[in-house]
PDB file of all heavy atoms in Angstrom:
ATOM      1  N   ILE G   9      -7.933  -6.637  -2.622  1.00  0.00           N
ATOM      2  CA  ILE G   9      -8.422  -7.605  -1.675  1.00  0.00           C
ATOM      3  C   ILE G   9      -7.393  -7.765  -0.541  1.00  0.00           C
ATOM      4  O   ILE G   9      -6.220  -7.865  -0.801  1.00  0.00           O
ATOM      5  CB  ILE G   9      -8.618  -8.979  -2.371  1.00  0.00           C
ATOM      6  CG1 ILE G   9      -9.585  -8.819  -3.509  1.00  0.00           C
ATOM      7  CG2 ILE G   9      -9.068 -10.033  -1.375  1.00  0.00           C
ATOM      8  CD1 ILE G   9      -9.607 -10.028  -4.434  1.00  0.00           C
ATOM      9  N   GLY G  10      -7.888  -7.776   0.708  1.00  0.00           N
ATOM     10  CA  GLY G  10      -7.036  -8.027   1.819  1.00  0.00           C
ATOM     11  C   GLY G  10      -6.914  -6.903   2.838  1.00  0.00           C
ATOM     12  O   GLY G  10      -6.495  -7.139   3.981  1.00  0.00           O
ATOM     13  N   ASN G  11      -7.313  -5.699   2.469  1.00  0.00           N
ATOM     14  CA  ASN G  11      -7.349  -4.586   3.415  1.00  0.00           C
ATOM     15  C   ASN G  11      -8.738  -4.529   4.049  1.00  0.00           C
ATOM     16  O   ASN G  11      -9.657  -5.202   3.645  1.00  0.00           O
ATOM     17  CB  ASN G  11      -7.014  -3.283   2.695  1.00  0.00           C
ATOM     18  CG  ASN G  11      -5.572  -3.165   2.374  1.00  0.00           C
ATOM     19  OD1 ASN G  11      -4.718  -3.777   2.977  1.00  0.00           O
ATOM     20  ND2 ASN G  11      -5.267  -2.387   1.359  1.00  0.00           N
ATOM     21  N   MET G  43       2.111  -2.765  -7.444  1.00  0.00           N
ATOM     22  CA  MET G  43       1.229  -3.938  -7.282  1.00  0.00           C
ATOM     23  C   MET G  43       1.890  -4.811  -6.237  1.00  0.00           C
ATOM     24  O   MET G  43       3.100  -5.031  -6.247  1.00  0.00           O
ATOM     25  CB  MET G  43       1.107  -4.722  -8.580  1.00  0.00           C
ATOM     26  CG  MET G  43       0.042  -5.830  -8.573  1.00  0.00           C
ATOM     27  SD  MET G  43       0.552  -7.423  -7.934  1.00  0.00           S
ATOM     28  CE  MET G  43       1.917  -7.856  -8.928  1.00  0.00           C
ATOM     29  N   ARG G  44       1.079  -5.232  -5.259  1.00  0.00           N
ATOM     30  CA  ARG G  44       1.602  -6.039  -4.179  1.00  0.00           C
ATOM     31  C   ARG G  44       0.783  -7.323  -4.093  1.00  0.00           C
ATOM     32  O   ARG G  44      -0.439  -7.279  -3.965  1.00  0.00           O
ATOM     33  CB  ARG G  44       1.495  -5.281  -2.851  1.00  0.00           C
ATOM     34  CG  ARG G  44       2.189  -5.969  -1.729  1.00  0.00           C
ATOM     35  CD  ARG G  44       2.066  -5.222  -0.405  1.00  0.00           C
ATOM     36  NE  ARG G  44       2.251  -3.801  -0.544  1.00  0.00           N
ATOM     37  CZ  ARG G  44       1.769  -2.914   0.320  1.00  0.00           C
ATOM     38  NH1 ARG G  44       1.083  -3.284   1.350  1.00  0.00           N
ATOM     39  NH2 ARG G  44       1.974  -1.626   0.143  1.00  0.00           N
ATOM     40  N   LEU G  45       1.456  -8.471  -4.113  1.00  0.00           N
ATOM     41  CA  LEU G  45       0.829  -9.757  -3.952  1.00  0.00           C
ATOM     42  C   LEU G  45       1.425 -10.428  -2.720  1.00  0.00           C
ATOM     43  O   LEU G  45       2.618 -10.705  -2.678  1.00  0.00           O
ATOM     44  CB  LEU G  45       1.061 -10.622  -5.192  1.00  0.00           C
ATOM     45  CG  LEU G  45       0.446 -12.010  -5.150  1.00  0.00           C
ATOM     46  CD1 LEU G  45      -1.077 -11.960  -5.024  1.00  0.00           C
ATOM     47  CD2 LEU G  45       0.847 -12.794  -6.421  1.00  0.00           C
ATOM     48  N   TRP G  46       0.596 -10.636  -1.703  1.00  0.00           N
ATOM     49  CA  TRP G  46       1.053 -11.164  -0.441  1.00  0.00           C
ATOM     50  C   TRP G  46       0.399 -12.535  -0.260  1.00  0.00           C
ATOM     51  O   TRP G  46      -0.816 -12.653  -0.106  1.00  0.00           O
ATOM     52  CB  TRP G  46       0.583 -10.204   0.650  1.00  0.00           C
ATOM     53  CG  TRP G  46       0.991 -10.486   2.057  1.00  0.00           C
ATOM     54  CD1 TRP G  46       1.155 -11.722   2.646  1.00  0.00           C
ATOM     55  CD2 TRP G  46       1.252  -9.530   3.060  1.00  0.00           C
ATOM     56  NE1 TRP G  46       1.510 -11.546   3.960  1.00  0.00           N
ATOM     57  CE2 TRP G  46       1.568 -10.212   4.230  1.00  0.00           C
ATOM     58  CE3 TRP G  46       1.260  -8.133   3.091  1.00  0.00           C
ATOM     59  CZ2 TRP G  46       1.874  -9.554   5.420  1.00  0.00           C
ATOM     60  CZ3 TRP G  46       1.550  -7.504   4.230  1.00  0.00           C
ATOM     61  CH2 TRP G  46       1.869  -8.222   5.415  1.00  0.00           C
ATOM     62  N   ILE G  47       1.221 -13.602  -0.310  1.00  0.00           N
ATOM     63  CA  ILE G  47       0.735 -14.964  -0.087  1.00  0.00           C
ATOM     64  C   ILE G  47       1.539 -15.583   1.028  1.00  0.00           C
ATOM     65  O   ILE G  47       2.755 -15.771   0.876  1.00  0.00           O
ATOM     66  CB  ILE G  47       0.869 -15.809  -1.383  1.00  0.00           C
ATOM     67  CG1 ILE G  47       0.079 -15.163  -2.532  1.00  0.00           C
ATOM     68  CG2 ILE G  47       0.401 -17.217  -1.157  1.00  0.00           C
ATOM     69  CD1 ILE G  47       0.231 -15.846  -3.868  1.00  0.00           C
ATOM     70  N   GLY G  48       0.850 -15.880   2.129  1.00  0.00           N
ATOM     71  CA  GLY G  48       1.544 -16.437   3.272  1.00  0.00           C
ATOM     72  C   GLY G  48       2.499 -15.400   3.874  1.00  0.00           C
ATOM     73  O   GLY G  48       2.126 -14.289   4.166  1.00  0.00           O
ATOM     74  N   HIS G  49       3.755 -15.805   4.009  1.00  0.00           N
ATOM     75  CA  HIS G  49       4.778 -14.916   4.549  1.00  0.00           C
ATOM     76  C   HIS G  49       5.511 -14.127   3.471  1.00  0.00           C
ATOM     77  O   HIS G  49       6.296 -13.244   3.776  1.00  0.00           O
ATOM     78  CB  HIS G  49       5.817 -15.682   5.368  1.00  0.00           C
ATOM     79  CG  HIS G  49       5.236 -16.326   6.582  1.00  0.00           C
ATOM     80  ND1 HIS G  49       4.943 -15.646   7.739  1.00  0.00           N
ATOM     81  CD2 HIS G  49       4.900 -17.635   6.837  1.00  0.00           C
ATOM     82  CE1 HIS G  49       4.451 -16.457   8.624  1.00  0.00           C
ATOM     83  NE2 HIS G  49       4.412 -17.671   8.121  1.00  0.00           N
ATOM     84  N   ARG G  50       5.307 -14.473   2.226  1.00  0.00           N
ATOM     85  CA  ARG G  50       6.044 -13.832   1.118  1.00  0.00           C
ATOM     86  C   ARG G  50       5.258 -12.731   0.466  1.00  0.00           C
ATOM     87  O   ARG G  50       4.044 -12.863   0.245  1.00  0.00           O
ATOM     88  CB  ARG G  50       6.419 -14.868   0.078  1.00  0.00           C
ATOM     89  CG  ARG G  50       7.346 -15.927   0.599  1.00  0.00           C
ATOM     90  CD  ARG G  50       7.644 -16.942  -0.473  1.00  0.00           C
ATOM     91  NE  ARG G  50       8.257 -18.095   0.068  1.00  0.00           N
ATOM     92  CZ  ARG G  50       9.570 -18.265   0.169  1.00  0.00           C
ATOM     93  NH1 ARG G  50      10.380 -17.351  -0.263  1.00  0.00           N
ATOM     94  NH2 ARG G  50      10.058 -19.378   0.698  1.00  0.00           N
ATOM     95  N   VAL G  51       5.940 -11.631   0.153  1.00  0.00           N
ATOM     96  CA  VAL G  51       5.308 -10.480  -0.503  1.00  0.00           C
ATOM     97  C   VAL G  51       6.099 -10.154  -1.770  1.00  0.00           C
ATOM     98  O   VAL G  51       7.286  -9.904  -1.697  1.00  0.00           O
ATOM     99  CB  VAL G  51       5.256  -9.254   0.428  1.00  0.00           C
ATOM    100  CG1 VAL G  51       4.543  -8.108  -0.225  1.00  0.00           C
ATOM    101  CG2 VAL G  51       4.628  -9.622   1.765  1.00  0.00           C
ATOM    102  N   LEU G  52       5.402 -10.163  -2.883  1.00  0.00           N
ATOM    103  CA  LEU G  52       5.995  -9.762  -4.173  1.00  0.00           C
ATOM    104  C   LEU G  52       5.521  -8.354  -4.469  1.00  0.00           C
ATOM    105  O   LEU G  52       4.302  -8.115  -4.503  1.00  0.00           O
ATOM    106  CB  LEU G  52       5.545 -10.727  -5.281  1.00  0.00           C
ATOM    107  CG  LEU G  52       5.973 -10.343  -6.693  1.00  0.00           C
ATOM    108  CD1 LEU G  52       7.475 -10.557  -6.835  1.00  0.00           C
ATOM    109  CD2 LEU G  52       5.210 -11.160  -7.711  1.00  0.00           C
ATOM    110  N   ILE G  53       6.445  -7.430  -4.684  1.00  0.00           N
ATOM    111  CA  ILE G  53       6.115  -6.022  -4.955  1.00  0.00           C
ATOM    112  C   ILE G  53       6.716  -5.644  -6.296  1.00  0.00           C
ATOM    113  O   ILE G  53       7.919  -5.797  -6.529  1.00  0.00           O
ATOM    114  CB  ILE G  53       6.659  -5.103  -3.843  1.00  0.00           C
ATOM    115  CG1 ILE G  53       6.155  -5.547  -2.473  1.00  0.00           C
ATOM    116  CG2 ILE G  53       6.305  -3.654  -4.136  1.00  0.00           C
ATOM    117  CD1 ILE G  53       6.842  -4.879  -1.307  1.00  0.00           C
ATOM    118  N   THR G  63       9.940  -9.890  -0.544  1.00  0.00           N
ATOM    119  CA  THR G  63      10.234  -9.767   0.881  1.00  0.00           C
ATOM    120  C   THR G  63       9.468 -10.827   1.660  1.00  0.00           C
ATOM    121  O   THR G  63       8.567 -11.469   1.128  1.00  0.00           O
ATOM    122  CB  THR G  63       9.888  -8.355   1.407  1.00  0.00           C
ATOM    123  OG1 THR G  63       8.477  -8.157   1.271  1.00  0.00           O
ATOM    124  CG2 THR G  63      10.617  -7.278   0.698  1.00  0.00           C
ATOM    125  N   ARG G  64       9.819 -10.947   2.932  1.00  0.00           N
ATOM    126  CA  ARG G  64       9.108 -11.841   3.858  1.00  0.00           C
ATOM    127  C   ARG G  64       8.554 -11.000   5.016  1.00  0.00           C
ATOM    128  O   ARG G  64       9.221 -10.067   5.484  1.00  0.00           O
ATOM    129  CB  ARG G  64      10.044 -12.906   4.404  1.00  0.00           C
ATOM    130  CG  ARG G  64      10.477 -13.899   3.337  1.00  0.00           C
ATOM    131  CD  ARG G  64      11.336 -15.004   3.881  1.00  0.00           C
ATOM    132  NE  ARG G  64      10.697 -15.768   4.942  1.00  0.00           N
ATOM    133  CZ  ARG G  64       9.855 -16.827   4.754  1.00  0.00           C
ATOM    134  NH1 ARG G  64       9.561 -17.175   3.500  1.00  0.00           N
ATOM    135  NH2 ARG G  64       9.356 -17.498   5.742  1.00  0.00           N
ATOM    136  N   LYS G  65       7.365 -11.346   5.475  1.00  0.00           N
ATOM    137  CA  LYS G  65       6.722 -10.678   6.600  1.00  0.00           C
ATOM    138  C   LYS G  65       6.450 -11.721   7.707  1.00  0.00           C
ATOM    139  O   LYS G  65       6.271 -12.884   7.384  1.00  0.00           O
ATOM    140  CB  LYS G  65       5.411 -10.050   6.160  1.00  0.00           C
ATOM    141  CG  LYS G  65       5.540  -8.970   5.139  1.00  0.00           C
ATOM    142  CD  LYS G  65       6.115  -7.719   5.749  1.00  0.00           C
ATOM    143  CE  LYS G  65       6.102  -6.607   4.707  1.00  0.00           C
ATOM    144  NZ  LYS G  65       6.418  -5.328   5.268  1.00  0.00           N
ATOM    145  N   PRO G  66       6.365 -11.286   8.941  1.00  0.00           N
ATOM    146  CA  PRO G  66       6.156 -12.263  10.024  1.00  0.00           C
ATOM    147  C   PRO G  66       4.730 -12.857  10.077  1.00  0.00           C
ATOM    148  O   PRO G  66       4.554 -13.970  10.525  1.00  0.00           O
ATOM    149  CB  PRO G  66       6.452 -11.467  11.287  1.00  0.00           C
ATOM    150  CG  PRO G  66       6.378 -10.047  10.887  1.00  0.00           C
ATOM    151  CD  PRO G  66       6.674  -9.978   9.436  1.00  0.00           C
ATOM    152  N   SER G  67       3.755 -12.140   9.579  1.00  0.00           N
ATOM    153  CA  SER G  67       2.371 -12.649   9.642  1.00  0.00           C
ATOM    154  C   SER G  67       1.953 -13.278   8.318  1.00  0.00           C
ATOM    155  O   SER G  67       2.430 -12.886   7.253  1.00  0.00           O
ATOM    156  CB  SER G  67       1.405 -11.528  10.037  1.00  0.00           C
ATOM    157  OG  SER G  67       1.474 -10.504   9.095  1.00  0.00           O
ATOM    158  N   ARG G  68       1.056 -14.244   8.405  1.00  0.00           N
ATOM    159  CA  ARG G  68       0.524 -14.921   7.212  1.00  0.00           C
ATOM    160  C   ARG G  68      -0.753 -14.233   6.744  1.00  0.00           C
ATOM    161  O   ARG G  68      -1.669 -14.091   7.530  1.00  0.00           O
ATOM    162  CB  ARG G  68       0.214 -16.388   7.509  1.00  0.00           C
ATOM    163  CG  ARG G  68       1.426 -17.225   7.764  1.00  0.00           C
ATOM    164  CD  ARG G  68       1.034 -18.652   8.060  1.00  0.00           C
ATOM    165  NE  ARG G  68       0.289 -19.255   6.969  1.00  0.00           N
ATOM    166  CZ  ARG G  68       0.823 -19.955   5.967  1.00  0.00           C
ATOM    167  NH1 ARG G  68       2.133 -20.135   5.950  1.00  0.00           N
ATOM    168  NH2 ARG G  68       0.088 -20.475   5.017  1.00  0.00           N
ATOM    169  N   LYS G  69      -0.749 -13.828   5.461  1.00  0.00           N
ATOM    170  CA  LYS G  69      -1.922 -13.135   4.927  1.00  0.00           C
ATOM    171  C   LYS G  69      -2.056 -13.464   3.438  1.00  0.00           C
ATOM    172  O   LYS G  69      -1.155 -13.974   2.822  1.00  0.00           O
ATOM    173  CB  LYS G  69      -1.810 -11.614   5.050  1.00  0.00           C
ATOM    174  CG  LYS G  69      -1.808 -11.135   6.494  1.00  0.00           C
ATOM    175  CD  LYS G  69      -1.761  -9.657   6.521  1.00  0.00           C
ATOM    176  CE  LYS G  69      -1.696  -9.192   7.961  1.00  0.00           C
ATOM    177  NZ  LYS G  69      -1.630  -7.755   8.060  1.00  0.00           N
ATOM    178  N   PHE G  70      -3.222 -13.125   2.899  1.00  0.00           N
ATOM    179  CA  PHE G  70      -3.405 -13.106   1.449  1.00  0.00           C
ATOM    180  C   PHE G  70      -3.917 -11.736   1.081  1.00  0.00           C
ATOM    181  O   PHE G  70      -4.944 -11.290   1.601  1.00  0.00           O
ATOM    182  CB  PHE G  70      -4.382 -14.166   0.925  1.00  0.00           C
ATOM    183  CG  PHE G  70      -4.633 -13.991  -0.542  1.00  0.00           C
ATOM    184  CD1 PHE G  70      -3.701 -14.470  -1.463  1.00  0.00           C
ATOM    185  CD2 PHE G  70      -5.752 -13.343  -1.026  1.00  0.00           C
ATOM    186  CE1 PHE G  70      -3.914 -14.302  -2.813  1.00  0.00           C
ATOM    187  CE2 PHE G  70      -5.967 -13.169  -2.372  1.00  0.00           C
ATOM    188  CZ  PHE G  70      -5.038 -13.649  -3.261  1.00  0.00           C
ATOM    189  N   LYS G  71      -3.164 -11.018   0.251  1.00  0.00           N
ATOM    190  CA  LYS G  71      -3.581  -9.703  -0.248  1.00  0.00           C
ATOM    191  C   LYS G  71      -3.167  -9.575  -1.700  1.00  0.00           C
ATOM    192  O   LYS G  71      -2.126 -10.090  -2.102  1.00  0.00           O
ATOM    193  CB  LYS G  71      -2.847  -8.575   0.517  1.00  0.00           C
ATOM    194  CG  LYS G  71      -3.285  -8.349   1.930  1.00  0.00           C
ATOM    195  CD  LYS G  71      -2.582  -7.143   2.493  1.00  0.00           C
ATOM    196  CE  LYS G  71      -2.990  -6.824   3.906  1.00  0.00           C
ATOM    197  NZ  LYS G  71      -2.415  -5.590   4.372  1.00  0.00           N
ATOM    198  N   TRP G  72      -3.995  -8.901  -2.460  1.00  0.00           N
ATOM    199  CA  TRP G  72      -3.661  -8.501  -3.817  1.00  0.00           C
ATOM    200  C   TRP G  72      -4.092  -7.062  -3.965  1.00  0.00           C
ATOM    201  O   TRP G  72      -5.281  -6.748  -3.907  1.00  0.00           O
ATOM    202  CB  TRP G  72      -4.372  -9.407  -4.854  1.00  0.00           C
ATOM    203  CG  TRP G  72      -3.986  -8.975  -6.236  1.00  0.00           C
ATOM    204  CD1 TRP G  72      -2.799  -9.195  -6.848  1.00  0.00           C
ATOM    205  CD2 TRP G  72      -4.801  -8.267  -7.170  1.00  0.00           C
ATOM    206  NE1 TRP G  72      -2.810  -8.660  -8.089  1.00  0.00           N
ATOM    207  CE2 TRP G  72      -4.027  -8.092  -8.324  1.00  0.00           C
ATOM    208  CE3 TRP G  72      -6.079  -7.766  -7.124  1.00  0.00           C
ATOM    209  CZ2 TRP G  72      -4.509  -7.410  -9.453  1.00  0.00           C
ATOM    210  CZ3 TRP G  72      -6.560  -7.077  -8.237  1.00  0.00           C
ATOM    211  CH2 TRP G  72      -5.772  -6.919  -9.371  1.00  0.00           C
ATOM    212  N   ILE G  73      -3.102  -6.172  -4.111  1.00  0.00           N
ATOM    213  CA  ILE G  73      -3.364  -4.748  -4.044  1.00  0.00           C
ATOM    214  C   ILE G  73      -2.667  -4.017  -5.206  1.00  0.00           C
ATOM    215  O   ILE G  73      -1.514  -4.304  -5.523  1.00  0.00           O
ATOM    216  CB  ILE G  73      -2.885  -4.162  -2.695  1.00  0.00           C
ATOM    217  CG1 ILE G  73      -3.668  -4.767  -1.576  1.00  0.00           C
ATOM    218  CG2 ILE G  73      -2.912  -2.658  -2.676  1.00  0.00           C
ATOM    219  CD1 ILE G  73      -3.123  -4.496  -0.232  1.00  0.00           C
TER     220      ILE G  73
END
Side-chain angles (χ1 to χ4, degrees):
I9 302 167
N11 286 335
M43 189 275 304
R44 188 181 318 156
L45 179 61
W46 184 325
I47 301 174
H49 295 285
R50 297 179 193 267
V51 183
L52 175 70
I53 304 168
T63 62
R64 291 184 59 85
K65 297 286 186 170
S67 59
R68 291 180 59 92
K69 295 183 182 179
F70 174 78
K71 289 185 177 185
W72 180 72
I73 296 170

